[in-house]
Every structure is written in structure tokens, then in C-alpha cells.
Amino acid sequence: MASTDDLILFAQVVEAGSFSKVAEQNSLTNSVVSKRIGRLEEELGVQLLYRTTRRLTLSEAGKELYQGAKNVKAAALDAFDAVAGFGEKVSGHVRMSVPTISGELLLADAVADFCQQHPGLTVEMSLDNRFVNLVEEGFDLVIRTGYLDDSSLIARHILDSQWVICAAPAYVRRFGAPREPSDLLTHNCLRYAYQSTGASEWAFKGEEGNYLLSVSGSFCTDNAGALRKAALGGRGIVYVPRCLVYHDLMNGELVDLFPDQVGKKLGIYAVYPFTRQPPRKIRLLIEHIRQRYLDIAHYFG
């Protein structure tokens, strides 16, 4: 019976296209690699490789075997990677970027707590709503709210963030409450310039899917805290993530104007550069952060 080691060695030879390269990778001699491939051919009773002085060519049987052999190789590597981190101390430095609202709401405390649990670890956390370039800017981990389209990154979904439209009772007393979305066109809508999405384009649920309404108003900012204060001061109506104003809605300082009609819901993701297995510190930090989000999931829904 052919050994798993020989199958993995065969896959390596096919991928390297050379006995000598594989011999070097595995600290073996060329003759040992040649003998083991020969033994594999003998046991299977077929020729797998055609050898010439310039190149190796796969036979039909070799092509068939390679499909299975590369899966064995990948499974072995995954198994080694999965346990490699168990003896790894959580230490070193992590550079991460997080959205401003989540950063202030829970991530600053969650990450500081994680560092306290692992004294050998330091974290540099940037609060930034823009879509940073992980690789070019040297980030190890990003918590991102929005849409993902970069296939070179791995994203782990944490939860979804529902948006709300709200205003202070003082504003409603003075100007009345909009009864339907189109009424907003005659109100002072304070706009949140968030990432690349249009601050004036407010999404609503319709019978045939979401539709956008273009609103206007006297004030626009990219700072969520400033927008919340303007709303609390009765300056206008805002369209913001529910988690930003959760306590204000609960204690009546802001009123949810369209509780079932707002069409904006964005995923929150932990994103890191593509690797077979991320470092153990990144895996543990993501799990720690994810749990903190889930602990207050009702703020986001």
C-alpha cells in the first residue's frame, strides 16, 4: 500500500517540476526522491511520470493520482497549521483599524481587556471609517462595516447593523413627525457622510425592494458623535446606525420615526489578509471581539 508520505512527495514533485528541488525542500538526496517515486509506481503498477533530461511530464495515470495526492497534501498542511498555534504564546504587536462608532461603543474596552489578559501583546488601534488598505498600510486586522469586494482578504461576519431614522421630541413638537418617508423632503435632515455612501441617499423598504430618497438639510458631518449631539439638541432628523443611539431611544431622548421601514442594514466583519492560517493572536482577538459584539447584539438589531 502506498504511503501517505509518498503521495505528498509525488504532489510536491509535480508542483516543483523537479526531483532536485523537492530533494532540497525535504533535505533528501535526488536518488531517495527518485526511489520513492519509483516505489509508488511499482506498487500501483503504472508509470506516473515520464522523465527526460529537461522536464517531467505526467502520464494519464499520473494526472489522475495527482488530483488525489494534492488533496492529501493540503489536508496534511491544514492539520499541521491547525495545531501549530497551540504552543504559540500570544505576544507581539497587532495593528488594527476599526469604525469610530464600534470603537467608542465597545472595541476600545474589548481590545484593552484582551491586552490585559495577554501581557506580552500590544495593540495599536486606529478609529477610522474609511476603507483602509490592509496590506499596503500594514494592518493585521480591520473591523469593517459595509460591503466587501476584495478577494485577497478573509472576512468573518460578526453581525448586522440596522440603521434608524430618529429625532428629538423637541424637534417633533416644533415641526411635526413625518408620517411617510416622502415627508422627509420638507424636513431638516442632518446627514452622516459615512465612507463612500451618499450622505443624502436614505434607503427605505418598499414593496418591490429597497428604494432611495434624496434628502437635504443644514448640517452634514463625518463624525457620528457630532451628529448625535445635533439630533439630541433638536436640530433635525438623523439617519444613523441604531447602536449609536440605542440608549437615547430607550430613554426617550430620541424618537424612532420609521421603526419598520428603514432599508439600510450593513454587515460588520473582521477582515484580515489572506493566509492559510492567521496567527493565533489574530484568531483569539477576533473571537474575543465577536463575543463582545454578540453580548450587546440588541443594540444593533
Side-chain angles (χ1 to χ4, degrees), residues 19 27 50 62 109 114 119 135 140 159 181 185 192 208-209 216 219 295 300:
F19 280 23
S27 302
Y50 301 119
D109 183 67
F114 187 78
V135 177
D140 303 296
L159 48 65
L185 300 176
Y192 183 23
E208 297 177 8
S216 61
F219 180 61
D295 286 345
F300 295 87

Side-chain angles (χ1 to χ4, degrees), residues 106-128:
L106 64 93
L107 290 175
D109 183 67
V111 173
D113 176 41
F114 187 78
C115 291
Q116 200 168 28
Q117 292 177 29
H118 304 281
L121 184 75
T122 57
V123 175
E124 176 190 343
M125 189 172 81
S126 167
L127 270 68
D128 200 335

Side-chain angles (χ1 to χ4, degrees), residues 256-268:
D256 190 345
L257 298 173
F258 296 99
D260 302 312
Q261 290 177 264
V262 174
K264 190 165 188 172
K265 182 182 277 193
L266 298 176
I268 297 178

